[in-house]
Amino acid sequence: MKILLISVCCFLSAVVASAQDITVLEPIGAVESFQRTENKLTFRCRDNSHVQLTILAPDLVRVRAAFRKAIPAKDHSWAIAKDDWTTPRWTVNESTEAVTVATDEIEVIVRRSPLLIEFRDARTHQLINADERPMAHDAQGKLTAMMFDPKAGSFVAVSKKLGFDERFYGLGEKAARLDKRRGFFVNWNSDTPGYTEGKDPIYQTIPFYLGLQRGVAYGIFFDNSYRSYFDFGRSSNQRAWFGAEGGEVNYYFFYGPSIKKILGRYADLTGHMPLPPLWALGNQQSRWSYYPDTMVEEVVRQYRERDLPLDVIHLDIDYMRGYRVFTFDQQRFPNPKALVDKLGQRGIKLVTIVDPGVKHEPRASGNAERYFVFEQGLEKNYFQRRSNGDLFVPRVWPGESVFVDYTLPEARRWWGDLHRIYTDNGIAGIWTDMNEPSDFVDQTGKNQLDVVSYDEGEKTTHAKNRNTFALLMARATYEGLERLRPDQRPYVITRAAYAGIQRYATMWIGDTNSTWEALALNVPMFTSLGLSGEPFVGSDVGGFIGRANGELLVRSYQVGFLAPFCRNHKVIDGYDQEPWRFGKYYEDIIRKYLKLRYELLPFLYTTLEEAHRTGVPLFRPLLLNYQTDANTYNLDDQFMIGEDLLVAPIVKPDVTRRLVYLPAGTWYDYWTNKKHMGGTMISVEAPLETVPMFVRAGAMIPTVPPRNYVGEKPGDPITVNVYPDDKGLASGTLYEDDGKSPAYKRGMFLRTRMTARREGNGFIVTIEGTEGEYSPGMRALNFVLKGRGSTPVRLRKT
Ligand code: GLC
């Protein structure tokens, strides 16, 4: 029996080992010749393969490879936002062994035989990243049998040398820790309720990662939407490889050396997150589902009576008539507009969920009420079909349903315009869900393999289009809201995604559990998403599935109150978890943190605008701010907001003290203003009512008095808290705009740069300058000095 078991195990491990064994693939041929054009260098190989380098910026080079054929003329990606790069200065040099391309920042050395690509720092010639073996493809179908969809295409792979102390970050939404070294990941958007650490894949695909070694960072964006694989040294300690079950070798190489610079370039390439309306930073409440309308009003009444700030209520699927998207249930919500107006008087916005599943309801089905969405879509032929021409009929909430082919431009437009039903009723934002797309018939996607999408006339199958489905649904929604309300910033939330999603949607990390393990994943997941170009993230505060308790809910708010997306949400059969559900003791603590979030709004908004402009996220791992401090490389139970606020939450039960790492410099305890020297670990008290928070000495943090909702008191003074460093200096920024319209894109904003310096016994605060044309109206700017005993010192403004 034992022997049998051992041999079964051996057999299994052999199967697993050979599953994605890229060493069996056929390497690309050696270089035969090359040709230079304005911004490209195209190599022809001995096996008639072609490799193309495109020089986009001094720190950005694209690599494409076509095996045994020319580089296809057609070049399209849903992820890419910018293709009009100004070619930077670059040179080519050749020797018998290699061809070297150099910009001012990167040197790309293409070794001729075998064809190996190497990236170096153009100034120091230091090696940053090098092929471990030539790029490869599955010429003989050796990996076909293990492919999810054997008809998808041919496996392609790129293998890089694994640095002895190289670290890996980003890769979007993974139920994993911050440093992904030794990890193996699959990208295939999947509906995975109740996922736990290690579950993979989950909802999103962002095939972009950062490598960091000796403090020097690079980025690789493998823009291939097929089911893809990333191995950061799991299968071999020699290589980190990535590959896909079809499509091209098509990757972008970014050189830092700073991660922040890479994130900026990545945002240039795949799109900068537009600013959502300011109220999106407000506190949000949801559950599956609040109905009827009077219950929604009751939730809001409770919030207001209990003095808990709130900006948004979400309507989950039960607001609809039998889960038919773009309808309201007449019994539950007879007059959505009246509800919106009533809530509006209390400062509350309403967001509705919209799923991709359109109820399959042909006219002949005998329904008294016809379903115009199905009828219109069918008539216009906008729904997905199988390769034999049949409608694709998955099962989702409405039962048998159909999905829109969002690759069709006119279908996207139609879908976007349908949102008029919501905007006419004053619905403020749209929550797009189930967009992996989830299909209850088969959650893996197997049932969808022969679904064909228009895809720019190429008529491609699910293998290519699954991972971009949510991106295009979010795009259709965003563009629809933009057309319907051109004077307002769209607000869209998504569960699934592909790279570029930040142009259209904010996101949350899906159906988490109400457990401590799930809470512990919040910080690495939010920070990793931030390192993957998605700054506006959050999770269901309190967890979605299962039962929270007062302690878990409080600790969950102590992370969530600083996440861009702060929404408490609960599954249909889960125990209620609004802030008051576990008693006054916990409610009082939650109130303290929600109020603090609102006090910090100017700081959060200033940092969010930075994310929009620079691609550097608001919710950061410490390594982003302290890239040369190796103590931060694995630190994923602490985070920072912007440059200045460090938070060390408690994510375990019954814990009231923890170690906190403070990077070099001086830090103020946020609660006591006591100063600490950084560069070390300190032990900090963390009773349930206190999350350890520290402010970087040298910071100036703008705040407002607490409020019930973001727009409540526009004229309130702004108080800037000054935390001088050891030299008595501090500086900070305040960003303001109307918080609603897209006018900020045309310069209607005000960025105020402030400094403070000690002079004698006092402090001088200087407004160093302002940028932009927005006038915030009459509002006072006050300055409060921190860390000088208990009495704040008023400052003289110059
Ligand atoms: C999915 C969503 C969840 C929602 C539910 C019902 O599970 O992730 O947030 O409540 O569907 O719409």
Side-chain angles (χ1 to χ4, degrees), residues 373-571:
V373 182
F374 180 78
E375 289 188 4
Q376 280 179 19
L378 190 69
E379 193 197 314
K380 293 169 193 283
N381 201 16
Y382 289 162
F383 297 135
Q384 290 185 337
R385 290 180 180 273
R386 294 191 184 274
S387 51
N388 66 4
D390 288 354
L391 264 192
F392 167 54
V393 186
R395 287 186 69 82
V396 263
W397 303 126
E400 292 201 335
S401 302
V402 288
F403 292 153
V404 172
D405 178 359
Y406 295 107
T407 67
L408 277 166
E410 54 280 22
R412 287 202 299 275
R413 194 175 177 95
W414 168 70
W415 186 261
D417 288 346
L418 283 173
H419 288 78
R420 177 182 295 283
I421 287 141
Y422 298 113
T423 53
D424 278 356
N425 280 300
I427 300 297
I430 301 296
W431 165 22
T432 63
D433 185 28
M434 305 289 283
N435 46 2
E436 291 69 35
S438 182
D439 172 4
F440 300 159
V441 175
D442 166 43
Q443 288 289 29
T444 68
K446 285 260 188 227
N447 183 37
Q448 311 188 39
L449 294 185
D450 68 340
V451 171
V452 178
S453 292
Y454 170 73
D455 189 20
E456 303 258 293
E458 281 185 48
K459 308 254 168 70
T460 52
T461 62
H462 195 63
K464 181 176 177 211
N465 298 307
R466 180 181 183 87
N467 287 339
T468 52
F469 181 87
L471 172 71
L472 294 178
M473 181 188 177
R475 174 170 167 179
T477 310
Y478 182 93
E479 290 175 351
L481 294 179
E482 233 179 2
R483 284 193 302 278
L484 290 162
R485 283 193 299 226
D487 56 336
Q488 286 182 46
R489 302 176 194 170
Y491 181 50
V492 180
I493 306 158
T494 188
R495 191 171 73 177
Y498 184 70
I501 190 69
Q502 68 277 5
R503 309 204 289 272
Y504 312 116
T506 64
M507 60 86 51
W508 94 110
I509 58 171
D511 295 349
T512 52
N513 293 319
S514 291
T515 59
W516 293 97
E517 292 72 24
L519 176 59
L521 272 181
N522 273 199
V523 175
M525 289 184 74
F526 297 173
T527 51
S528 295
L529 281 154
L531 294 179
S532 311
E534 276 189 84
F536 206 103
V537 298
S539 68
D540 294 340
V541 178
F544 181 65
I545 296 170
R547 189 179 179 121
N549 58 48
E551 185 190 2
L552 179 64
L553 188 62
V554 163
R555 293 304 196 190
S556 183
Y557 269 108
Q558 288 175 349
V559 178
F561 88 106
L562 288 171
F565 182 64
C566 174
R567 181 189 71 167
N568 176 326
H569 179 51
K570 194 75 211 172
V571 69

Side-chain angles (χ1 to χ4, degrees), residues 240-301:
W241 67 265
F242 51 91
E245 291 193 1
E248 285 184 19
V249 162
N250 171 28
Y251 72 92
Y252 294 80
F253 187 88
F254 302 76
Y255 180 42
S258 93
I259 297 175
K260 288 180 180 164
K261 178 159 163 274
I262 296 169
L263 294 180
R265 266 291 177 241
Y266 178 78
D268 292 344
L269 181 69
T270 63
H272 286 249
M273 171 196 72
L275 279 177
L278 182 53
W279 56 258
L281 278 179
N283 180 36
Q284 314 195 18
Q285 179 66 54
S286 182
R287 83 158 284 139
W288 176 11
S289 297
Y290 289 131
Y291 66 83
D293 49 5
T294 48
M295 183 186 278
V296 176
E297 288 177 57
E298 177 61 19
V299 175
V300 169
R301 200 173 61 80

Side-chain angles (χ1 to χ4, degrees), residues 275-280 349 487-489 605 710 735-744 748 774:
L275 279 177
L278 182 53
W279 56 258
K349 308 277 189 294
D487 56 336
Q488 286 182 46
R489 302 176 194 170
Y605 195 50
V710 292
Y735 174 85
E736 296 162 284
D737 61 22
D738 67 19
K740 296 181 186 127
S741 82
Y744 71 97
M748 293 306 285
Y774 175 71

